[in-house]
Amino acid sequence: AELMVSELLGTWWGQRRDNARGADVERLVGEGLVDFAARRSSPAALALLSGIACLGTPRQASKAEEAALELMERGVRSPNWAQHLGAVTGSDCYVNSDVFGDTDEVVCFFSYDGTEPHALVLVVDYNAVGMIRDGWVTSQVTKLLELCRKPAEDGSGFRPLDPPVARRLLEAALAKTDAAASPPVSESFASYHAFIRARIRALPPSRGPAGPVG
């Protein structure tokens, strides 16, 4: 459900990048969608609002949460799965740094109170001012954990990354992606953008500057 909402929110992310008034696109289209759903007293509208409350921009999330509460007060029932939206916690994080220091591949693991484990994989490109240029989610947690924890004889490969450090690094990298006029991201990045933003926020916070960890 979160991935579906993320894909929906990503439909105008590319347009936002091409529009000098990008913030207005988020306000007019994103917040407009919240207003539209708020006027529909239906379980589908409530489910959508619940998703945006977890994955939207701060303004979208605040408006969506308020609208969702109003629908629930009117007696609108949401699907059972909606109560789990955003109830995610992060656990281990790992990083695989390119030998030349060009990229970091960061893997962070999450679950819903121990259920539905999944991993977020992000590529930070220092040749592109340290922005995130690709990201995706996978449920192949066991296989990926084995890869991350497998020791390498030459010292290369994945190594543990403190989750607060991972959040600091990824927040800075995503901010650079969002600030770029034409970021060199993958074709699927827009559909994952909101999901990536929400998962980064789910990691424990930390203080201090971020930079290459390789």
Side-chain angles (χ1 to χ4, degrees):
E2 287 181 283
L3 288 173
M4 291 176 62
V5 173
S6 181
E7 183 174 3
L8 173 63
L9 296 177
T11 55
W12 60 82
W13 188 80
Q15 298 177 35
R16 179 178 182 271
R17 304 266 58 79
D18 297 334
N19 190 325
R21 302 176 64 190
D24 286 351
V25 176
E26 290 289 4
R27 178 175 59 83
L28 295 174
V29 181
E31 295 177 31
L33 177 62
V34 173
D35 293 336
F36 177 82
R39 295 193 294 268
R40 299 294 187 273
S41 296
S42 69
L46 180 53
L48 176 59
L49 290 170
S50 299
I52 297 177
C54 297
L55 301 176
T57 65
R59 282 179 56 90
Q60 292 166 4
S62 178
K63 288 174 62 70
E65 182 177 10
E66 182 178 350
L69 290 174
E70 290 180 359
L71 290 189
M72 286 188 284
E73 289 177 357
R74 294 183 211 162
V76 178
R77 298 184 60 181
S78 63
N80 292 332
W81 50 260
Q83 62 183 313
H84 300 295
L85 287 175
V88 65
T89 55
S91 56
D92 298 340
C93 294
Y94 296 86
V95 61
N96 181 17
S97 300
D98 179 84
V99 65
F100 299 109
D102 293 331
T103 61
D104 281 333
E105 187 176 11
V106 181
V107 180
C108 298
F109 294 88
F110 300 88
S111 70
Y112 297 90
D113 194 22
T115 66
E116 295 190 53
H118 54 282
L120 182 67
V121 183
L122 298 168
V123 178
V124 180
D125 189 347
Y126 297 106
N127 288 326
V129 301
M131 68 175 63
I132 295 175
R133 62 173 174 80
D134 200 3
W136 62 93
V137 64
T138 177
S139 60
Q140 301 297 317
V141 170
T142 301
K143 184 181 298 185
L144 191 54
L145 268 174
E146 291 177 354
L147 175 64
C148 290
R149 293 172 176 173
K150 182 179 180 180
E153 295 181 359
D154 59 0
S156 63
F158 285 93
R159 64 185 187 281
L161 182 63
D162 191 40
V165 176
R167 172 170 175 167
R168 190 176 67 213
L169 167 69
L170 296 173
E171 281 182 331
L174 184 60
K176 291 177 180 178
T177 304
D178 289 339
S182 298
V185 295
S186 66
E187 291 185 3
S188 62
F189 182 83
S191 64
Y192 283 109
H193 178 266
F195 186 89
I196 290 170
R197 178 177 57 201
R199 284 300 180 269
I200 292 175
R201 289 197 304 245
L203 293 171
S206 180
R207 296 180 179 179
V213 295

